[in-house]
């Protein structure tokens, strides 16, 4: 077995692709916050393709971590000269193994915030990209506005505070660029949020205005925030993944990435200081991302929520187990075709019916051991962004909402099971205590779960949605998850 580092490149087993460029020659053009599995299977992979094409060494990626858990990523990447292995698997079982070298540096902000800020202020930095999850944008889910009440955000808003947060660091970096007459970098969100560029512009400029009104206006006016749609199922790395990589390719990698073979990136062509030639390596660079992103958010991401809670309540662990059961497949296709798809605009070049069946094929792949517990992580951030817009659209158009109502009801039933110590994975949600308290009130106040205004807004007061939710809750109590799905199908 060979340790992954620059000295050992080219000494791995057959079939392992390595960079055609020398990672030591890279210069930072992109600073990226949130160097997790998805970033390394997606944006960093596309940049690796660009670098392999030659003559683009100024587009290297410098990763930045801001959370305590990011210390582990720093340690692993530093020990491996910032190299890592990407293993992709197709539903047919085909495997591709590649060493990625596009992330050439990593900074841990709590150790030296000044170091990070100066990297942001460096004229060579032309893009700052983000995969900080849906919860990292400090949005009020009911109003869609920036929420400045979090402890770290409140700290960063104090005069003279050393930034702790992503927004605090980016704002200070932009302030210094403005002060030094350096053009602003582009801020490129790669998170699963509708209109992620618009959202990032809104929250970052709102944060900056609270620091300095003129700076906030300058950011809103001068900084580019392209919208994007990103897609590649990337489960969390397991010890089994590390062991399989070592056995099959002879690579000792402390944190490889395993993902599906499918990948898609649709990106708005809106940048202040240029961009890599991403269209040459498979990225769809377009004028309008919205049709693609709504398709993905309301079918794939909402589909994950639809299978996640019901699948766990039925005793399953993995997505592929759920999607090999006809009753679940029919439920998912029913949600997509009758509720999700009717809220979409036409998507250029995409057959929506074929896309839905392709999603089922991807979900059902046994090559990707994607856990249902990963799909429901931080559900209070995901359901309001992925599923509830479908409910609102369908209510406005007098469309069907029964599948979505059953998904919300299964979320509440899962929380009840957690509260009762049932055989379900533990709750991982930043709003965990409030969710459990809301679902406890349902025992004496049916529908109380929907009265969480910060999540549901006025949907909890809509008589049609409330009625559908209560009917789904009762069906789950009487019949269980599979029985509730079958009862819905028989209507």
């Amino acid at each position: 077995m060979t340790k992954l580092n620059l000295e050992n490149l080219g000494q791995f087993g057959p079939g392992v692709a390595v960079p055609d460029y020398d990672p030591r020659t890279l210069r930072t053009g992109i600073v990226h916050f949130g160097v997790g599995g998805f970033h390394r299977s997606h944006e960093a992979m596309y940049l690796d393709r660009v670098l392999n094409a030659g003559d683009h060494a100024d587009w290297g990626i410098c990763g930045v971590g801001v959370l305590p858990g990011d210390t582990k990523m720093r340690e692993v990447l530093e020990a491996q000269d910032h190299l890592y292995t990407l293993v992709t698997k197709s539903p047919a079982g085909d495997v591709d193994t590649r060493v990625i070298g596009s992330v050439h540096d990593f900074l841990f902000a709590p150790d030296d915030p000044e170091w990070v800020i100066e990297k942001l202020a460096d004229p060579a930095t032309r893009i700052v990209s983000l995969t900080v999850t849906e919860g990292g944008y400090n949005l009020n889910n009911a109003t869609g506005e920036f929420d400045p009440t979090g402890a770290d955000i409140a700290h960063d808003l104090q005069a003279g505070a050393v930034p702790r947060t992503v927004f605090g660091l980016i704002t200070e970096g932009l302030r210094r660029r403005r002060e030094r007459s350096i053009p602003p970098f582009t801020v490129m969100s790669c998170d699963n949020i509708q209109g992620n560029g618009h959202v990032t512009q809104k929250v970052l400029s709102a944060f900056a205005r609270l620091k300095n009104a003129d700076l906030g206006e300058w950011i809103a006016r001068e900084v580019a925030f392209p919208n994007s749609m990103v897609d590649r199922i990337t489960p969390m790395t397991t010890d089994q993944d590390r062991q399989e990589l070592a056995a099959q390719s002879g690579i000792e990698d402390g944190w490889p990435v395993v993902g599906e073979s499918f990948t898609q990136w649709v990106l708005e062509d809106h940048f202040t200081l240029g961009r890599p030639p991403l269209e040459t390596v498979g990225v769809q660079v377009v004028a309008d991302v919205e049709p693609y992103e709504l398709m993905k958010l309301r079918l794939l991401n909402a589909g994950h929520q639809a299978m996640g809670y019901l699948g766990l309540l039925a005793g399953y662990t993995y997505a592929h187990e759920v999607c090999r059961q006809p009753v679940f497949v029919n439920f998912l296709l029913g949600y997509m075709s009758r509720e999700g798809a009717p809220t979409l605009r036409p998507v250029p070049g995409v057959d929506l019916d074929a896309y839905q069946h392709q999603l089922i094929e991807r979900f059902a792949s046994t090559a990707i051991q994607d856990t249902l517990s990963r799909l429901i992580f931080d559900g209070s951030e995901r359901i309001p962004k992925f599923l509830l817009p479908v409910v609102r659209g369908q209510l406005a158009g007098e469309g069907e909402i029964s599948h979505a109502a059953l998904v919300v009801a299964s979320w509440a039933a899962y929380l009840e099971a957690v509260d009762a110590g049932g055989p379900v994975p533990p709750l991982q949600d930043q709003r965990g205590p409030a969710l459990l308290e809301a679902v406890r009130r349902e025992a004496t106040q049916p529908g109380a779960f929907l009265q969480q205004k910060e999540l549901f807004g006025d949907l909890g007061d809509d008589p049609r949605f409330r009625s559908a939710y209560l009917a789904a809750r009762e069906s789950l109590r009487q019949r269980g998850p599979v029985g509730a799905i079958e009862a819905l199908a028989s209507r």
Side-chain angles (χ1 to χ4, degrees), residues 257-295:
V257 185
V258 177
E260 63 171 337
S261 56
F262 179 91
T263 182
Q264 187 176 22
W265 190 2
V266 184
L267 179 62
E268 182 184 9
D269 199 1
H270 178 45
F271 293 79
T272 54
L273 293 173
R275 58 170 175 81
L278 294 166
E279 68 275 19
T280 66
V281 295
V283 178
Q284 295 168 261
V285 180
V286 301
D288 184 9
V289 172
E290 185 179 47
Y292 300 91
E293 68 180 355
L294 290 180
M295 173 186 73

Side-chain angles (χ1 to χ4, degrees), residues 111 306 320 341 352 381 408 445 461 475 491:
D111 278 356
H320 68 262
L352 280 179
E381 288 293 334
V408 176
Q445 304 171 48
D461 299 321
S475 186
R491 286 166 49 181

Side-chain angles (χ1 to χ4, degrees), residues 325-372:
Q325 306 302 319
V327 65
F328 279 97
V329 170
N330 291 336
F331 173 75
L332 287 169
L333 288 174
Y335 159 74
M336 289 188 228
S337 64
R338 294 156 63 180
E339 298 181 28
T343 70
L344 302 178
R345 292 164 45 191
V347 186
V350 176
D351 179 330
L352 280 179
D353 183 66
Y355 179 80
Q356 293 164 42
H357 285 84
Q358 182 188 45
L359 288 180
I360 298 298
E361 179 183 1
R362 292 168 62 192
F363 295 161
S365 173
T366 57
I368 301 298
Q369 302 286 304
D370 203 8
T371 62
L372 299 176

